Amino acid sequence: MAVNYTATVEVTGEGRNGGTARSTDGLLEHRLSIPKELGGAGDATNPEQLFAAGWAACFLGALRHAAAQRKIRLTSTSITAEVTLLHGDDGEFSLLATLAPRLGGVDQRTAEDLAEAAHRICPYSKATRGNIPVTINAAAV
């Protein structure tokens, strides 16, 4: 398999508790913070937000690709991604996710079919498959 692109990001400092994430190309630079809901300052982005943003963007691209393959014209696309950090009774942390794409110009069944196809195509979906619970709630708008 040919390498198309490698993203390189360095995180310094205290990681999710006051660290900074910087890409080597300088296009991404974010302070990191533990969310207020978890007892942190909540004054900067957190890894779950960054993961949700990346997955949502990738999934939307996969949706548009699946539609193009099927010669389906979408009049609009958007997606909400929720990534939830869980802390189990065993003391271990894990994630769960919900992806809610909204597709214009198609009926509900087509929106669901395209979302299923995108979930098979998207590299983030492939990477998490079988590792975390994922719910897909597609909607025609």
Side-chain angles (χ1 to χ4, degrees):
M1 190 176 269
V3 174
N4 289 330
Y5 173 73
T6 300
T8 304
V9 174
E10 180 180 57
V11 175
T12 57
E14 299 292 321
R16 70 181 301 128
N17 188 19
T20 300
R22 287 183 191 87
S23 62
T24 55
D25 63 8
L27 295 175
L28 176 114
E29 183 169 345
H30 283 283
R31 286 185 324 100
L32 302 171
S33 174
I34 295 173
K36 284 184 181 181
E37 297 84 350
L38 298 178
D43 60 349
T45 194
N46 61 67
E48 292 74 33
Q49 290 171 329
L50 294 170
F51 187 64
W55 195 351
C58 186
F59 196 90
L60 209 53
L63 270 166
R64 296 192 73 75
H65 179 75
Q69 285 181 319
R70 292 161 178 76
K71 296 182 177 24
I72 296 171
R73 184 177 177 278
L74 297 171
T75 58
S76 64
T77 56
S78 64
I79 187 168
T80 300
E82 296 177 354
V83 173
T84 301
L85 179 65
L86 303 170
H87 190 202
D89 294 336
D90 60 1
E92 297 292 320
F93 290 96
S94 62
L95 299 173
L96 68 83
T98 301
L99 303 174
R102 292 171 302 285
L103 307 177
V106 296
D107 61 25
Q108 182 61 31
R109 182 66 197 150
T110 302
E112 291 169 1
D113 289 345
L114 289 172
E116 288 173 22
H119 198 43
R120 289 189 302 274
I121 295 168
C122 175
Y124 283 74
S125 292
K126 288 179 183 181
T128 58
R129 187 167 295 122
N131 296 312
I132 67 171
V134 179
T135 302
I136 309 288
N137 294 325
V141 295

